[in-house]
């Protein structure tokens, strides 16, 4: 599967952005989809994921209550709605896909900058 992330940009603290990740192919429903981010001079970190089986979601503690992942299987697209953004959310955001425990497919990343 090929992934194309979009929707990044510059936003003030407290604002919102919605990232999209469009997937190619007709087997989108077979993948659990995830979002990761990498801030400047930091390691890439897991943000959250949405399950292929039941659309259940899981988030890292730092974004719980602020970020929401959803998917539209008809459009082969997964979304990351980010609310109440903070400067520490500034990062390149990546979408990824997995059949199981290994994130095997990655999008190219989209930059989110949150100004204070």
């Amino acid at each position: 599967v090929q992934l194309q992330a979009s929707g990044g940009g510059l936003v003030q603290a407290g604002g919102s952005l919605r990232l999209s990740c469009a997937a190619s192919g007709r087997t989108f429903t077979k993948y659990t989809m995830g979002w990761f981010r990498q801030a400047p001079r930091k390691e890439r970190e897991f943000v959250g994921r949405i399950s292929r089986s039941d659309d259940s979601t899981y988030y890292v503690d730092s974004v719980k209550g602020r970020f929401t992942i959803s998917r539209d299987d008809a459009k082969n697209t997964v979304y990351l709605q980010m609310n109440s953004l903070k400067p520490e959310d500034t990062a390149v955001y990546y979408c990824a896909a997995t059949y199981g425990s290994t994130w095997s497919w990655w999008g190219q990343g989209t930059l989110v900058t949150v100004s204070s």
Side-chain angles (χ1 to χ4, degrees), residues 62-82:
S62 59
V63 307
K64 279 182 182 176
R66 300 188 298 122
F67 289 12
T68 303
I69 299 174
S70 61
R71 62 191 297 161
D72 185 336
D73 290 341
K75 295 183 178 180
N76 282 7
T77 301
V78 63
Y79 303 98
L80 178 64
Q81 177 67 44
M82 305 184 293

Side-chain angles (χ1 to χ4, degrees), residues 3-112:
L3 305 176
Q4 180 76 32
S6 62
L10 174 64
V11 63
Q12 288 188 329
S16 298
L17 277 177
R18 188 177 78 159
L19 306 183
S20 300
C21 176
S24 63
R26 293 177 288 181
T27 59
F28 181 70
T29 56
K30 294 183 179 181
Y31 301 98
T32 288
M33 302 298 296
W35 287 95
F36 293 74
R37 66 185 180 184
Q38 186 166 19
R41 299 173 297 281
K42 291 189 176 181
E43 297 289 321
R44 184 159 55 188
E45 67 168 344
F46 172 76
V47 174
R49 62 103 174 110
I50 184 164
S51 171
R52 62 177 178 170
S53 58
D54 60 3
D55 286 355
S56 60
T57 54
Y58 175 84
Y59 304 94
V60 67
D61 285 347
S62 59
V63 307
K64 279 182 182 176
R66 300 188 298 122
F67 289 12
T68 303
I69 299 174
S70 61
R71 62 191 297 161
D72 185 336
D73 290 341
K75 295 183 178 180
N76 282 7
T77 301
V78 63
Y79 303 98
L80 178 64
Q81 177 67 44
M82 305 184 293
N83 298 328
S84 302
L85 282 161
K86 304 175 181 179
E88 52 264 43
D89 294 318
T90 294
V92 177
Y93 284 72
Y94 300 88
C95 58
T98 180
Y99 276 144
S101 59
T102 301
W103 297 97
S104 301
W105 298 273
W106 292 84
Q108 85 288 3
T110 185
L111 176 63
V112 173

